[in-house]
Amino acid sequence: MLGRISLMLLALLALEPLSSAARLMTKQQLRERQHEAAKRLDIKPRAGSSSGSGVKNITFTNPRASEFYVDGTSIPLVDFDVGPSWSGLLPISSAPNETRKLFFWFFPPGPQGSLDDLIFWTNGGPGCSSLEGLLQENGPISWSLGQAKATVNQWSWTNISSILYVEQPVGTGFSQGVPNITNEDELAEQLIGFFQQFLEVFSELKGKNFYLTGESYAGTYVPYIASHIFANKSALDLKLKGFWVSDPSLSFDVVQEEIPAVGFVNKYEHVFSFNQSFMEFLNNRSAECGYANYFAEHVSYPPKGLFPLPGKSIEADPGCDLWDTIFDAALLVNPAFNIYRIFDTWPILWDVLGFPGSFPQTQVSPLYFNREDVKKAIHAPLDVDWTECSNINVFVRNDESLPPAFTVLPSVIEQSERAVIVHGLADFILIAEGTRIVIQNMTWNGLQGFQTPIANDSFIVEGMGALGNMHEERGLMYVEVDLSGHMVPQFSPKAAFQIAQWLLGFRDSPSD
């Protein structure tokens, strides 16, 4: 993929019981602070008016657009007006016999958003639905883990721009057809074909500033898609300005999972709660596998040269798959252990999309996007059994492309006006220290890696203070977000929103 109470407040509550009036005042003050912070960021909820007046006026002259119109007052189980949107299936080419189609859902901007920009969002997997991003991350509707009902997403990216969610590649979500791609270049070609069909129906979006965004395995998708667009500028009537990838898959698993895994456990030892003998085993095996001192020996600012892989191949050597060893042990200690956000414990929160933690789990049936009334409302095929992540391989023989850090990512950074890599520090499935290794081993704009340390710059979130680290050099912005898991817009929406504002040029810095 794949409200919070501060520890300080909990400590105060433990020290001295509060009266009912004091508790009410505390909640009221909290609401007022949130309201004031929203005003300072110039954010207004996109939805909530029966007329849809919370959305900027946008019309499409092609009669076909009406086939995809979604009435924002009639989305099942959503008791507020989302405003107009458009969704449905479009083919990946103009061939008359084309049967492969991708499902999309397009939202215009809210009153504070820009009509000059278009954000594309894709989830990863490969084969995981971008409707998860829409409903639980950065869309105008928020129905995240544990929420009893859908609510307005105050930090929706539609407060910045219009946004297009696409379930891709073929074989993902509601999308139609038999997967036939074997690599990222073919994926990009099919998606560009879809974009061409989309712009023919919604032609008023032609010429917009375009931003490619996504998370997880989209860290592989997005650089290849961007590279294809930059190499074929006449193929798409959009101005590609930049990209965002969060908790991204950029290199081999041995780099982003195995090397940093034991160090991650030591950093969060009180979360994992392993016994001393097991910790000794992990630390000894990490040293034997060449992981323990890897960061100290190779990761410097500036780098001293290209980094070697720790083993004999791009895979973990026998006995050195420590990530899986840690995961299995973590589940014994905490059966609710969540690789996407390590702080989760019992009870496992219910999820309207059926994927609340490390594993799929259907706690309510049908899942939201399998309800017939939902499918009808968004023009989705009624005969598809929707799952958040596909049960089939969306690449015929797995993805044969090399990770983008070794191929297209450096040139895509160089050609972008703004390039962003974001990482949640509580993510175990892809670990931030591994992403640091990737960056420091990559050469772009004439130099290898960052020349000065990342930790020198704090990432400040409006009204919250320091919430991680950030660093920019030679066109690449890197941001680490404390407390956030794998899905940064879900687990730290305010932080993600600030970074997205910077991506589109609405802030001088992602940091406050």
Side-chain angles (χ1 to χ4, degrees):
M1 283 175 2
L2 295 271
R4 297 170 179 82
I5 302 173
S6 70
L7 292 175
M8 183 178 294
L9 180 56
L10 285 173
L12 290 172
L13 290 173
L15 287 173
E16 182 177 352
L18 294 175
S19 68
S20 297
R23 284 196 294 269
L24 283 173
M25 183 60 70
T26 301
K27 292 180 180 178
Q28 179 64 25
Q29 288 172 341
L30 180 58
R31 292 191 188 98
E32 289 174 356
R33 286 192 176 193
Q34 290 172 333
H35 181 66
E36 289 301 314
K39 287 199 298 183
R40 286 196 297 273
L41 278 176
D42 197 25
I43 302 304
K44 296 178 182 178
R46 176 179 188 275
S49 66
S50 60
S51 65
S53 60
V55 180
K56 282 190 171 179
N57 290 329
I58 186 167
T59 58
F60 298 109
T61 56
N62 187 328
R64 284 202 62 201
S66 63
E67 302 172 15
F68 302 97
Y69 179 76
V70 177
D71 182 353
T73 67
S74 302
I75 299 174
L77 305 185
V78 177
D79 61 4
F80 52 88
D81 182 3
V82 180
S85 61
W86 289 261
S87 66
L89 290 161
L90 280 171
I92 64 170
S93 78
S94 58
N97 60 343
E98 182 62 78
T99 59
R100 296 163 298 175
K101 299 178 180 180
L102 301 182
F103 185 83
F104 72 92
W105 198 341
F106 167 78
F107 291 86
Q112 306 302 306
S114 167
L115 284 171
D116 297 327
D117 302 298
L118 173 62
I119 297 172
F120 160 78
W121 174 270
T122 180
N123 282 77
C128 291
S129 169
S130 300
L131 298 184
E132 187 267 335
L134 187 163
L135 202 64
Q136 299 187 330
E137 299 192 58
N138 52 23
I141 305 168
S142 179
W143 202 340
S144 194
L145 312 182
Q147 279 189 235
K149 56 178 284 186
T151 57
V152 174
N153 182 8
Q154 181 184 6
W155 307 109
S156 171
W157 289 9
T158 53
N159 288 311
I160 311 172
S161 165
S162 56
I163 185 165
L164 172 63
Y165 299 89
V166 182
E167 291 188 307
Q168 66 86 40
V170 170
T172 303
F174 287 122
S175 294
Q176 304 281 280
V178 178
N180 67 341
I181 60 173
T182 60
N183 58 54
E184 293 293 330
D185 293 319
E186 293 171 347
L187 177 146
E189 289 174 5
Q190 292 190 355
L191 185 61
I192 301 311
F194 164 84
F195 285 150
Q196 291 169 342
Q197 305 311 305
F198 178 82
L199 290 174
E200 287 307 305
V201 177
F202 302 96
S203 58
E204 284 75 10
L205 297 175
K206 290 182 178 180
K208 301 294 185 185
N209 299 325
F210 194 40
Y211 299 86
L212 298 171
T213 66
E215 71 186 17
S216 195
Y217 204 79
T220 298
Y221 294 159
V222 165
Y224 276 96
I225 297 165
S227 179
H228 190 88
I229 293 174
F230 283 133
N232 299 274
K233 296 184 185 299
S234 62
L236 198 59
D237 193 356
L238 292 168
K239 302 171 186 174
L240 181 56
K241 296 290 187 177
F243 71 91
W244 149 312
V245 288
S246 51
D247 295 68
S249 178
L250 301 173
S251 184
F252 302 118
D253 287 347
V254 70
V255 174
Q256 294 193 263
E257 292 183 339
E258 301 295 351
I259 294 173
V262 175
F264 185 88
V265 172
N266 280 289
K267 178 181 178 181
Y268 292 107
E269 61 177 325
H270 298 301
V271 176
F272 284 87
S273 295
F274 293 149
N275 62 44
Q276 184 176 353
S277 61
F278 186 65
M279 286 303 305
E280 290 176 357
F281 163 78
L282 288 178
N283 287 319
N284 290 337
R285 183 58 58 87
S286 179
E288 293 168 2
C289 294
Y291 302 156
N293 297 319
Y294 189 91
F295 210 89
E297 291 177 357
H298 302 293
V299 181
S300 60
Y301 300 86
K304 300 172 184 176
L306 292 177
F307 306 167
L309 289 174
K312 299 176 181 178
S313 71
I314 61 174
E315 304 291 339
D317 285 349
C320 292
D321 184 359
L322 297 185
W323 190 95
D324 278 327
T325 301
I326 293 165
F327 181 41
D328 292 343
L331 287 174
L332 292 175
V333 176
N334 172 19
F337 179 73
N338 185 356
I339 54 176
Y340 301 104
R341 181 176 57 178
I342 61 167
F343 304 125
D344 288 11
T345 56
W346 290 112
I348 296 176
L349 301 178
W350 87 291
D351 181 10
V352 70
L353 301 183
F355 211 133
S358 295
F359 308 102
Q361 185 177 113
T362 301
Q363 298 149 313
V364 60
S365 185
L367 300 178
Y368 184 72
F369 287 114
N370 269 329
R371 290 174 58 107
E372 184 173 338
D373 55 352
V374 173
K375 292 179 179 180
K376 289 180 177 178
I378 63 175
H379 317 296
L382 299 180
D383 60 345
V384 170
D385 182 21
W386 185 92
T387 57
E388 185 171 325
C389 293
S390 178
N391 294 318
I392 62 173
N393 196 342
V394 296
F395 290 91
V396 174
R397 295 183 297 275
N398 297 316
D399 188 353
E400 296 177 353
S401 296
L402 283 172
F406 300 105
T407 54
V408 297
L409 181 57
S411 66
V412 166
I413 295 170
E414 293 165 354
Q415 295 177 81
S416 297
E417 291 185 11
R418 294 201 171 183
V420 184
I421 297 175
V422 184
H423 215 296
L425 292 178
D427 179 11
F428 182 61
I429 190 169
L430 289 167
I431 301 171
E433 284 75 10
T435 298
R436 287 191 176 205
I437 294 172
V438 174
I439 292 172
Q440 289 308 99
N441 199 32
M442 183 173 64
T443 298
W444 75 96
N445 279 324
L447 292 170
Q448 180 183 334
F450 288 141
Q451 304 300 291
T452 57
I454 293 169
N456 286 355
D457 306 299
S458 293
F459 173 48
I460 309 296
V461 178
E462 170 77 32
M464 299 173 69
L467 199 68
N469 309 298
M470 57 170 279
H471 194 74
E472 181 186 16
E473 286 187 30
R474 307 189 315 281
L476 175 61
M477 175 67 73
Y478 176 62
V479 186
E480 294 175 336
V481 185
D482 275 331
L483 305 181
S484 177
H486 189 68
M487 294 77 84
V488 177
Q490 178 176 12
F491 297 131
S492 195
K494 192 173 183 180
F497 186 84
Q498 281 189 196
I499 302 167
Q501 283 183 308
W502 180 84
L503 173 66
L504 271 66
F506 299 140
R507 299 178 65 97
D508 293 332
S509 168
S511 190
D512 184 49

